[in-house]
Amino acid sequence: MPIEISAVRTPIDLRAFVALPFRLHANTPWIPPLKLERYVFLTRRLNAFFTHGEAEYFLARRDGRVIGRITAQVDYEFNRFHHSRWGMFGFLEFEDDPDVLQALLAAAESWLTTRGCERMVGPMNFQINDEAGVMFEGFDREPLIREPWNPRYYPSRCEHAGLTKAMDLLGWDLDISDRERMDPRLPRVAQRAVDRYGITIRPMSWRHMRAEMDEFATVYNAAWSHNWGFVPYTKADLDQLAMDMRLVYSKDWFMVAEQAGKTIAIAITIPDIHQVYKKMGGRLLPLGWWYYLRRASIIDRLRVGFLGVLPEYEHTGVAAALYLHHFDVAKHSRQKRGEASFILEINTSMNRGLEAMGGRIVKRWRVYERMLG
């Protein structure tokens, strides 16, 4: 039977779009997201991405049966900042059939071409700060919060479809209870940050999270603006990010480094709510809410989501102080290991820092691209 590609237009289509990975990835290490959260995320009036971008959602069907999905999106803020004409694709899921992916990519390419895009990059949901990439190493490990997971056939299907590598993202395994694996120079550099430069570390404030996100954006924009795939945060993005951070906030793991009261570096390490989602099975009812309320007794691993330093303070050793602070916090926390992920393969300083913490690479994702026209 021929493959039919259609845009998501009705609530029934959206339910099918959200439901597909639940069927494709049953009985795998994949952890189902909370369905309600996915509906909210995909609702245009509720997602800050749509204040500076647009997207179309597509379903692939054969004989009426959903066999694949994809989105095509343009982030106009990204293109304005980079003086580019990129389009992205994302939310990629498909059965192991070579024709399905080709049809999905063709639909995304057509939609992006009509909007003047010259390059198609992805997968990204909807941008690199969310889930990104196709996993090609680490299939046997569970994904942590906002880490994508896919079957082993995805990378080969992407390459056979003519997609080429744009960038690889790394996932580092970290055991922050084991100081024996730490580079012995790390404590000395961290102590220098305190003694010579007067750097202090405080917890981020849940109550003032929106203001903290403004400080985060200052560090992020300065530290990451030259990185591949950088997406500047808008006010609407930060409003949404503040709400998201409150839901996963931890006084122990949300860190701000200051010098004389000025924020010079930030580390946001997130308790892995995926461990709770696994018990919830994608649903709040009947018992999902109960697992969420008990999350402190369930979560025992972490994801290092962000660690950035203002460029003019990189020489102070503040990054080492933040690394070491993770080991100090782990002494009294049940959360003693986790992953630092979505680290660009070309981010030499961050990869060296994670190696100094005793980390090892256990996951890799690939972001692909295709020239249009």
Side-chain angles (χ1 to χ4, degrees):
M1 298 293 293
I3 296 172
E4 299 178 354
I5 304 293
S6 59
V8 171
R9 290 288 181 261
T10 69
I12 293 175
D13 290 340
L14 186 60
R15 284 199 293 272
F17 189 93
V18 171
L20 180 61
F22 285 78
R23 174 169 62 83
L24 291 181
H25 307 326
N27 304 314
T28 70
W30 180 76
I31 293 178
L34 188 62
K35 285 186 176 180
L36 177 61
E37 185 274 334
R38 290 290 84 184
Y39 288 128
V40 170
F41 192 76
L42 290 163
T43 299
R44 289 168 172 82
R45 62 184 176 82
L46 299 177
N47 190 323
F49 170 81
F50 292 96
T51 63
H52 52 85
E54 64 172 323
E56 188 68 276
Y57 314 159
F58 296 98
L59 288 170
R61 292 183 173 92
R62 178 182 278 127
D63 197 22
R65 180 172 178 268
V66 175
I67 57 175
R69 74 177 195 184
I70 199 171
T71 64
Q73 62 263 5
V74 181
D75 187 338
Y76 295 109
E77 184 65 20
F78 175 94
N79 283 336
R80 182 200 63 78
F81 182 86
H82 290 281
H83 306 288
S84 64
R85 294 168 65 184
W86 285 22
M88 282 78 168
F89 68 94
F91 294 87
L92 186 65
E93 301 286 0
F94 56 95
E95 292 186 357
D96 190 7
D97 181 330
D99 297 330
V100 179
L101 180 56
Q102 291 281 13
L104 290 168
L105 291 172
E109 180 174 342
S110 177
W111 189 88
L112 293 170
T113 300
T114 62
R115 283 151 181 81
C117 295
E118 298 177 337
R119 183 189 303 263
M120 181 171 69
V121 183
M124 299 182 185
N125 305 347
F126 290 100
Q127 50 191 346
I128 198 169
N129 290 333
D130 298 308
E131 294 182 23
V134 169
M135 171 177 277
F136 67 93
E137 184 178 317
F139 298 102
D140 57 335
R141 298 174 68 96
E142 289 184 345
L144 275 65
I145 184 66
R146 290 202 174 179
E147 287 183 356
W149 186 94
N150 52 261
R152 294 177 183 270
Y153 63 84
Y154 274 41
S156 60
R157 290 299 182 202
C158 288
E159 290 158 14
H160 292 160
L163 296 174
T164 57
K165 173 184 172 180
M167 181 63 63
D168 284 352
L169 311 175
L170 309 181
W172 290 78
D173 178 79
L174 294 170
D175 183 349
I176 48 178
S177 66
D178 184 4
R179 288 176 176 257
E180 295 299 319
R181 297 172 60 185
M182 180 199 306
D183 188 319
R185 294 171 294 180
L186 195 64
R188 295 196 299 270
V189 177
Q191 192 60 45
R192 184 186 66 182
V194 176
D195 296 341
R196 183 180 300 180
Y197 297 102
I199 291 170
T200 58
I201 297 175
R202 65 167 177 84
M204 196 174 284
S205 168
W206 184 92
R207 182 178 180 183
H208 302 291
M209 184 61 69
R210 182 59 187 84
E212 298 280 28
M213 288 300 100
D214 284 331
E215 295 295 316
F216 160 80
T218 299
V219 174
Y220 173 80
N221 290 339
W224 290 73
S225 60
H226 298 293
N227 280 6
W228 184 91
F230 169 80
V231 180
Y233 281 103
T234 66
K235 179 182 181 301
D237 291 327
L238 293 172
D239 290 342
Q240 181 173 316
L241 186 63
M243 290 190 293
D244 293 344
M245 289 296 102
R246 282 193 174 101
L247 294 175
V248 294
Y249 172 80
S250 169
K251 184 178 180 180
D252 285 338
W253 299 110
F254 283 46
M255 309 171 189
V256 179
E258 296 179 331
Q259 185 186 63
K262 176 185 177 181
T263 297
I264 63 170
I266 285 179
I268 299 178
T269 296
I270 301 171
D272 183 27
I273 197 71
H274 256 189
Q275 292 181 288
V276 180
Y277 286 174
K278 184 177 181 179
K279 293 181 176 293
M280 295 171 76
R283 299 181 297 272
L284 276 174
L285 298 175
L287 293 175
W289 61 273
W290 173 247
Y291 291 123
Y292 180 78
L293 292 178
R294 296 183 60 248
R295 61 190 181 280
S297 63
I298 296 173
I299 298 173
D300 63 1
R301 66 189 183 201
L302 306 152
R303 181 188 170 193
V304 179
F306 174 81
L307 194 153
V309 180
L310 290 177
E312 60 267 34
Y313 292 91
E314 288 179 350
H315 68 283
T316 64
V318 62
L322 287 169
Y323 294 146
L324 194 66
H325 195 67
H326 280 73
F327 285 91
D328 294 338
V329 171
K331 289 180 181 178
H332 61 80
S333 173
R334 70 188 305 270
Q335 298 149 358
K336 299 183 183 297
R337 68 177 309 121
E339 293 177 9
S341 53
F342 286 9
I343 313 301
L344 298 178
E345 61 177 339
I346 58 174
N347 189 340
T348 304
S349 60
M350 190 69 184
N351 286 311
R352 284 177 176 171
L354 293 168
E355 186 176 14
M357 292 178 72
R360 60 190 181 94
I361 297 171
V362 293
K363 293 178 181 175
R364 298 178 193 264
W365 299 268
R366 178 157 294 171
V367 179
Y368 292 95
E369 65 181 357
R370 173 188 284 176
M371 299 303 295
L372 303 182

